[in-house]
Structures are given as structure tokens and as C-alpha cells.
Amino acid sequence: TQFISALGCEALVRARHAARVAHVIAAMTYEALMSSIGPLNPDIHRARPHKGQIDVATRLLNLLKNEESPSEILSAHTNCGRVQDAYSIRCAPQVHGVAREVLDFTYNIMNTELNCATDNPLIFPDSEVQVVSGGNFHGEYPAKAMDILAIGVSELASISERRIERLNNPNLSRLPAFLVRNGGLHSGFMIAHCTAAALVSENKVLVHPASCDSISTSAAQEDHVSMGGFAARKAIDVVANVERVLAIELLCACQGIDLLRPLKTTPVLERVWSLVRTVSPTWNGDRNVSEDIEAVHNLIKSGALWREVYDHIPLSAKMSGAAMSNSKL
């Protein structure tokens, strides 16, 4: 059980980082695709008042709408006549929101696991029966938490990959094919998108619950087991894949914004763009994209990307539950 909890905490901490920055990266894509902020209207989300959904919509709106320094990109398409964007854009609060709430649920289970007694037998010196055999060692709680975490956080990569497709597809983005000016000579972000699609497809296998399995051992004494060790191990793999898909989306979104220059986005998103450009220059010709992916992946894992936008997140959205504390990490 301690093994499950130890690995599970790594998966949870990294999933929290991924969930936090997923909304920031989605906001960058909103701008690169010249998407409408209409679906972020607070009235919409009060009509379906899931806390995670409301918090994500609030975050996105605060990143994309700045009364003092409005986005030039947003202003350029305010009256474009487009009725609505695709699900991967306008339904981001609903999809990202439930992922946040899954992490809240997982956090509560893991917090209890790390502050409890899972030994057997247990010794109660002040009780009438001082030595008691029981079943607190069973790993079903953290095993289920890890399976649920993997299912929840994997959706962040699934919807992110769909946004990557839209950024790369000139029929959907109004941007050059594969986000490169000299198409044909350069393949741009085509292979990066293929990488994201492969990671999302890998996650479809990894999110199959380990804890729905059990097999009897020890002469049928241990006749129901949690399979939590495997659940925790593959949860880490799922989170790592999510981080890299988000890194790819961020690279594509920054390139899309480059292609919209000289228009600028909001000051906070310009800071995100500048941070990315410290480790990944604008894509002017084909190069080894894996180095760029890993560099931006490290920005996500380290918390650097979240710290860049932290002061621009409303306090109510920062404090959305135990699993999403107001830590700058």
C-alpha cells in the first residue's frame, strides 16, 4: 500500500501541474485560432454550476480578456460572423473542469492514505483488545484513485490533441498548413502532431483500470487484491504523456501567434509566449522538434509556466479545492 501511495503521489503532483497549465495553453490556442470568448460568458457556467467548470471558464476569461490592454488578436475578429467554434475550443471549461474535480477527489483519498495506519496487526495500547488483525493494508482506495486519476487527466491530452489538429490544418485554422510559411519545403509541426496523436492513442490503452482485476494467491488467503501497484505505475505514464501533448500544443499555439504578428495577445499571454521563446525559437525551418518538445515539457514539469501566469489567476479560481491549492507550484 505504501508503494502505491508513493507512486500515486508523484502521479498526482504532476497531474496537478498539467491541469493548471492546460487552461493557460488552451488560452494560447484560443488566440492562435482567433476563437470566440462568448462561450466563457459566466451566465453559461452558472446555469450548469460545476465548480471545476466555473473555475476553468473564469481562468480562461481572465487570461483572454483585459480591459486595460485588450488583445489585438481578439479585437481583429470581434465581428467576424463566425457562429461558434468546435467542441475542443468552446467546451474546454466542461472537459478541463471535470478533470480538475477528478484531481480533487484523488487528492482527498491520497491525503487520507498518507496520514493513516495501514499496518497489520494494529496495536491499540489503551483499548481492551490491544492487538487487532484487520484489513487496512488493502490497496483498493489508492488503486481506485490512480485509475480514476488516469482516466480524468487523460482527457486533457485528448482534447489538446484535437486543438493541435485545428492549429495545423489550414482548412480549420486560417493559418498556413502545419504552421510553417514555406509548406512543401518544410513539414512544420506535422510530425509533432503525429507524436501527440500517438501519445493520446497510447493513453487509451493505459487508462484501462488495473483495479477492476484481481487474482487469488497465498493459498486463497489473499483472494482479492487491488492491483494498485500497476495502477500507480501506469498513472505516471499517462501523466507523462499528457505533459508532452500539452507541450506540443503550446509550441503550436506560440507558432500560430507568431503567424498572426504584428497583432499581440493580452500581456499575460505575451509573457507565456516570451517564456516559451527562451527555450524554443520561432519555427522558420525544419529542425529536430523533439528538443523543443522536451524543453517546453520541462517548463510544465518545473512549474515555471504556472508561475508566469499565477498573479493573473483570480483568487477564487486558485482556491478551487484541496487538490488545486494556491501554491505557486
Side-chain angles (χ1 to χ4, degrees):
T1 305
Q2 290 83 355
F3 171 75
I4 305 169
S5 296
L7 292 185
C9 284
E10 178 183 348
L12 178 58
V13 169
R14 290 175 63 179
R16 290 172 66 188
H17 283 317
R20 283 169 171 158
V21 300
H23 325 318
V24 181
I25 294 167
M28 295 289 284
T29 299
Y30 262 77
E31 289 286 75
L33 292 175
M34 291 188 161
S35 302
S36 171
I37 63 171
L40 304 178
N41 185 319
D43 289 339
I44 294 173
H45 304 286
R46 281 193 290 265
R48 193 190 191 192
H50 292 294
K51 185 165 182 55
Q53 175 180 330
I54 291 172
D55 288 345
V56 172
T58 302
R59 287 187 177 204
L60 285 169
L61 194 58
N62 276 270
L63 292 168
L64 291 163
K65 188 175 181 180
N66 186 308
E67 299 293 347
E68 296 180 0
S69 300
S71 166
E72 295 174 359
I73 297 173
L74 179 62
S75 299
H77 67 90
T78 298
N79 298 310
C80 66
R82 183 186 296 184
V83 176
Q84 56 190 10
D85 294 293
Y87 287 11
S88 59
I89 299 295
R90 60 187 162 107
C91 299
Q94 290 80 1
V95 177
H96 288 219
V98 73
R100 285 171 60 87
E101 295 198 40
V102 165
L103 293 179
D104 286 347
F105 174 81
T106 304
Y107 178 93
N108 290 332
I109 289 181
M110 299 309 296
N111 188 48
T112 299
E113 279 295 305
L114 293 179
N115 294 281
C116 70
T118 56
D119 304 287
N120 188 58
L122 290 172
I123 299 174
F124 302 98
D126 297 327
S127 298
E128 182 177 349
V129 181
Q130 295 184 338
V131 181
V132 184
S133 292
N136 277 4
F137 55 82
H138 201 289
E140 197 72 12
Y141 268 101
K144 283 288 187 289
M146 288 301 100
D147 280 337
I148 293 167
L149 179 148
I151 292 169
V153 80
S154 70
E155 285 302 308
L156 296 177
S158 180
I159 196 170
S160 174
E161 184 276 328
R162 290 292 78 207
R163 293 192 292 260
I164 294 168
E165 157 69 10
R166 303 195 77 79
L167 286 162
N168 279 273
N169 189 332
N171 296 320
L172 304 174
S173 68
R174 296 178 290 183
L175 295 167
F178 304 112
L179 299 167
V180 66
R181 293 190 188 278
N182 299 315
L185 177 62
H186 299 290
S187 61
F189 286 85
M190 178 179 67
I191 299 302
H193 176 222
C194 291
T195 302
L199 293 173
V200 169
S201 289
E202 182 177 300
N203 275 356
K204 293 173 186 176
V205 175
L206 292 174
V207 298
H208 180 81
S211 63
C212 66
D213 185 26
S214 179
I215 193 164
S216 178
T217 59
S218 297
Q221 184 69 11
E222 299 174 4
D223 60 348
H224 183 279
V225 292
S226 69
M227 298 296 181
F230 182 40
R233 285 193 294 115
K234 68 186 184 66
I236 293 175
D237 292 339
V238 169
V239 174
N241 289 345
V242 171
E243 291 168 344
R244 286 187 171 86
V245 173
L246 291 173
I248 293 168
E249 183 186 357
L250 183 54
L251 282 168
C252 291
C254 286
Q255 182 71 8
I257 288 173
D258 280 332
L259 294 168
L260 295 176
R261 297 301 191 196
L263 298 177
K264 289 188 176 183
T265 180
T266 58
V268 61
L269 294 183
E270 285 291 335
R271 286 171 54 183
V272 172
W273 177 89
S274 296
L275 177 67
V276 172
R277 288 293 171 246
T278 64
V279 299
S280 173
T282 298
W283 199 271
N284 294 316
D286 282 352
R287 60 179 185 256
N288 183 357
V289 70
S290 67
E291 295 176 1
D292 296 76
I293 294 171
E294 285 309 303
V296 176
H297 180 205
N298 287 333
L299 293 180
I300 293 172
K301 284 179 61 179
S302 68
L305 183 57
W306 173 244
R307 288 192 293 272
E308 200 66 33
V309 303
Y310 178 80
D311 292 335
H312 298 266
I313 300 297
L315 184 61
S316 61
K318 290 174 187 173
M319 302 178 66
S320 63
M324 293 292 163
S325 72
N326 62 346
S327 165
K328 287 199 176 185
L329 295 177

